[in-house]
Amino acid sequence: MLRNGIHHSNEISLAECMEDNNGGLLYRGALYVLEDNDLWLRLLKEHHDKLSAGHPGRAKTLELLNREYYWPQIRRYVDQYVRNCNVCTRSKAPRNAPYGVLHPMPIPDGPWMDVSMNFVTDLPESDEHNAILVVVDRLTKMRHLIPMTKEADSREVARLYIDNVWKLHGLLNTIVSDRGTQFVAEF
């Protein structure tokens, strides 16, 4: 570029370029690498995959490469490579809290004492209803399917429960929802 008398580039500022002793183009002191995916991959493997490199993360790999080389979009290329590195993915320490131990729910003492409630929403509208409240007895697996609207609030759900389940089966002990919340009624 510099030898040919070109004075502008869309990718880099030629004012920050100079020619090295071997005829290569230096950009901000780093060797400018032309667009060649095979060469980029080889350089990236040398700075990330070698045993001496030890699979550093994105920031460290980018720093190691930037010490000697430059090409447009180098950061995006390094991010994508490290994100897809199988060794890094397997050895990465989990950042989430440890999962809790699952405990089976106790077997109910009798029918309609412990129920689960779930909502089926976004159904095609029928008689002004677009959702279903599903109430299942945990012991017998009997169920009530109650038509409702998706916009129903907690008062409406309680009214639907009283009108359709409580009047037939009486007071219950627990309700488990699809959100994992358990409500205990103590009377």
Side-chain angles (χ1 to χ4, degrees):
M1 290 179 165
L2 295 175
R3 251 186 274 144
N4 297 342
I6 298 174
H7 298 290
H8 69 281
S9 170
N10 293 338
E11 297 171 352
I12 59 175
S13 168
L14 294 181
E16 298 180 78
C17 294
M18 59 186 294
E19 196 170 329
D20 73 354
N21 297 337
N22 299 327
L25 180 67
L26 294 177
Y27 175 68
R28 297 181 179 170
L31 184 62
Y32 183 86
V33 182
L34 296 175
E35 187 171 346
D36 181 352
N37 282 327
D38 293 335
L39 179 58
W40 290 354
L41 184 60
R42 194 172 93 222
L43 290 172
L44 194 49
K45 283 183 177 184
E46 283 182 23
H47 290 81
H48 180 77
D49 294 355
K50 274 191 171 178
L51 290 176
S52 60
H55 287 268
R58 285 189 292 254
K60 185 66 175 176
T61 302
L62 184 61
E63 178 193 332
L64 292 171
L65 277 169
N66 280 336
R67 289 179 187 173
E68 301 176 54
Y69 306 103
Y70 173 83
W71 64 81
Q73 306 289 328
I74 188 171
R75 179 181 304 275
R76 188 176 65 169
Y77 194 82
V78 170
D79 283 348
Q80 182 180 5
Y81 183 84
V82 173
R83 186 174 44 249
N84 294 319
C85 176
N86 189 27
V87 174
C88 292
T89 304
R90 287 184 307 173
S91 62
K92 189 177 190 181
R95 293 182 176 259
N96 60 325
Y99 297 111
V101 179
L102 295 177
H103 297 285
M105 295 181 69
I107 298 172
D109 294 330
W112 294 101
M113 296 183 78
D114 301 280
V115 299
S116 65
M117 292 174 69
N118 294 301
F119 301 93
V120 179
T121 59
D122 298 321
L123 298 172
E125 193 165 311
S126 173
D127 292 333
E128 299 179 10
H129 298 103
N130 61 2
I132 298 174
L133 170 61
V134 181
V135 181
V136 180
D137 173 40
R138 290 192 31 245
L139 181 67
T140 64
K141 304 301 181 214
M142 287 178 54
R143 65 197 161 279
H144 290 277
L145 305 174
I146 306 163
M148 60 181 280
T149 62
K150 180 179 170 181
E151 294 78 23
D153 60 3
S154 57
R155 286 181 189 262
E156 178 66 15
V157 172
R159 188 192 63 73
L160 289 170
Y161 181 83
I162 289 170
D163 291 347
N164 294 281
V165 180
W166 180 78
K167 75 175 186 178
L168 297 172
H169 305 292
L171 203 53
L172 52 87
N173 290 333
T174 63
I175 298 173
V176 179
S177 74
D178 61 348
R179 304 279 188 238
T181 308
Q182 184 169 349
F183 305 96
V184 179
E186 294 186 26
F187 296 98

